[in-house]
Amino acid sequence: MAYLGEPANTIAVLQKYNFNFQKKFGQNFLIDKHVLEKIIRSAEITKDDFVLEIGPGIGTMTQYLCEAAREVCSVEIDRNLIPILEDTLKEYDNVEIKNEDILKVDIKALAEEKNGGKPIKVVANLPYYITTPIIMELFESGTPIESITIMVQKEVADRMQEKPGSKEYGALSLAVQYYAKPEIMAFVPENCFMPRPKVGSAVIKLTRYEKPPVDVKNEKLMFSIIRASFNQRRKTLANGLKNGGGFGLTKEQIEESIEELGYPATVRGEKLSLEEFATLANIIESKKSI
Ligand code: SAM
């Protein structure tokens, strides 16, 4: 039975192993069983599923995942947690713990090995200091993914859902919305964690699209354009693109491309929707090859 959702049990494990929290690893462990159950329900895990968990901590959510899924692989960077995980997960024979940095794991190969290349579910209470690189790696590595259900900083969850015109809209919003449908499942207060984080948190589910919602000929080019546009938020889109290397186009061709999209060359990148960035990338791609 999953017993770590009870704060007293978490405290007992921490004391037994004299565990010291490592701030540099973003260690804020969940101690609220309603939140844990909500995450598992949101992820819609069944006995057919292979689940990748990032950062199991002392194994709190891992216990719930083991009970719901066919198989679980949890990747934990902190080697001090490994003997604790061996203890808290000893009842379960469907879990593998890897003592590695998730950013160095070949996630695509792992999905192939564990799930025969079928789409996997990712579930995590993420370390907040590397939320964006983890999400980008999951999408860009070409790993077959069905959904990603994660606890993140509330502001980051908001950013993933933002549309043009908002201050928080940016490269992360566009990347997430290109690959997946974002849906905030719950807001989680600080007192559900030990130690308490200084920021509010939210559970967000990203359900991967089978096919991206926009047609773009050169995905890499579109993301380079997006990055260049938001690197210099206060500059015009034309200047952002020029300073971002110009993408093989002259200053005049860049301005022409923006005008072809239906905007004046003085527009800012934050005005453009995902669809417009895709169209702009297609225009620039066609001019490049002239
Ligand atoms: N899942 C646990 C829970 O909910 O109680 C712990 C979540 S805690 C917010 C984040 C976990 O990720 C910590 O256990 C931390 O050591 C681990 N972690 C941090 N950086 C990591 C990395 N680069 N690769 C794998 N795990 C990492």
Side-chain angles (χ1 to χ4, degrees), residues 197-215:
K198 292 200 175 68
V199 292
S201 300
V203 178
I204 189 164
K205 181 173 185 182
L206 311 176
T207 306
R208 175 93 197 220
Y209 292 126
E210 268 176 37
K211 195 173 151 292
V214 296
D215 279 324

Side-chain angles (χ1 to χ4, degrees), residues 235-246:
K235 290 230 158 79
T236 63
L237 175 60
N239 279 336
L241 298 187
K242 278 176 240 157
N243 296 340

Side-chain angles (χ1 to χ4, degrees), residues 25-30 55-57 75-77 101-102 125 127 129-130:
F25 289 144
Q27 291 176 340
N28 299 95
F29 298 165
L30 267 169
V75 179
E76 174 55 61
I77 197 169
D101 175 349
I102 189 65
N125 171 14
Y129 74 106
I130 43 168

